[in-house]
Amino acid sequence: GGLASALLVRDEARGVERCLKLVEDAGADPARRLALKGEFQLLAGLDHPSLAAVHDFGLARLPGGDAFYFTADFVRGLPLDRFAAGAPFDEVRRALLGPLAALAFLHRAGIRHGDLKPENILVGEGGGVLIDLSCAARLGRPSPLGISGTPGFVAPEILRGEAGDARADLFALGKLLLAPAA
């Protein structure tokens, strides 16, 4: 992603593949470090079948500087736009039910996804999964990452630097649903 590096790693203790996300330059500002820690604690507490579970998070000391990291479920699948280009309408509709339920779950938990776009919804064997929560923030609070999201899907209030609420995700969802299939 634009704010983090993603790597495929193997969790040897559990014998599974995980996605490792690194948010670099996390250690330069103590306030930002504390805010990021709080956001990752929030993400680690989420449990929904259509969200990739966060398993571990922390601060990594790297030669180029500190980076926050978290590990989450690794999902093999197709991004929503590529899946939708070759699937019947009913399958696409069914694939969207999981991510929509996950989005409602996030909003009830007081969390804004922050980066809804086709590439962040992978359609795997069990349906859709929101895979990238690294831009998530509490509703009504700015993301500790600053202005985040993907051009073309970011709500105007986020671009103005305001703290977004659930409507910012609904804006992105509308853009996602209107986006042409790849």
Side-chain angles (χ1 to χ4, degrees):
L3 299 170
S5 302
L7 303 166
L8 176 62
V9 297
R10 181 153 181 83
D11 181 340
E12 293 297 337
R14 292 171 185 82
V16 296
E17 292 179 323
R18 300 268 189 236
C19 177
L20 171 70
K21 287 262 186 167
L22 289 170
V23 181
E24 299 184 33
D25 296 328
D29 177 8
R32 184 170 186 243
R33 181 186 289 197
L34 188 62
L36 280 169
K37 181 180 178 186
E39 296 307 313
F40 289 136
Q41 284 174 325
L42 182 70
L43 297 178
L46 298 175
D47 184 20
H48 189 278
S50 292
L51 292 176
V54 172
H55 298 281
D56 188 24
F57 66 92
L59 187 65
R61 306 266 181 207
L62 303 174
D66 293 345
F68 261 101
Y69 73 89
F70 71 92
T71 60
D73 291 339
F74 176 73
V75 180
R76 290 192 191 279
L78 289 174
L80 180 63
D81 54 349
R82 288 191 29 221
F83 173 79
F89 176 76
D90 281 350
E91 286 183 36
V92 175
R93 184 176 52 81
R94 273 193 302 276
L96 280 171
L97 293 178
L100 290 174
L103 190 59
F105 170 81
L106 287 172
H107 292 166
R108 282 191 305 275
I111 301 168
R112 178 172 56 87
H113 181 277
D115 197 19
L116 280 175
K117 60 184 177 181
E119 297 89 349
N120 284 346
I121 300 175
L122 278 186
V123 181
E125 292 179 7
V129 177
L130 292 174
I131 60 164
D132 188 349
L133 288 172
S134 59
C135 289
R138 297 171 201 272
L139 293 176
R141 286 187 170 166
S143 169
L145 299 170
I147 294 175
S148 59
T150 299
F153 295 93
V154 182
E157 62 270 24
I158 302 299
L159 292 174
R160 290 191 301 265
E162 299 170 15
D165 58 22
R167 293 173 293 184
D169 281 344
L170 296 178
F171 177 90
L173 179 63
K175 298 288 278 202
L176 182 148
L177 294 174
L178 294 173

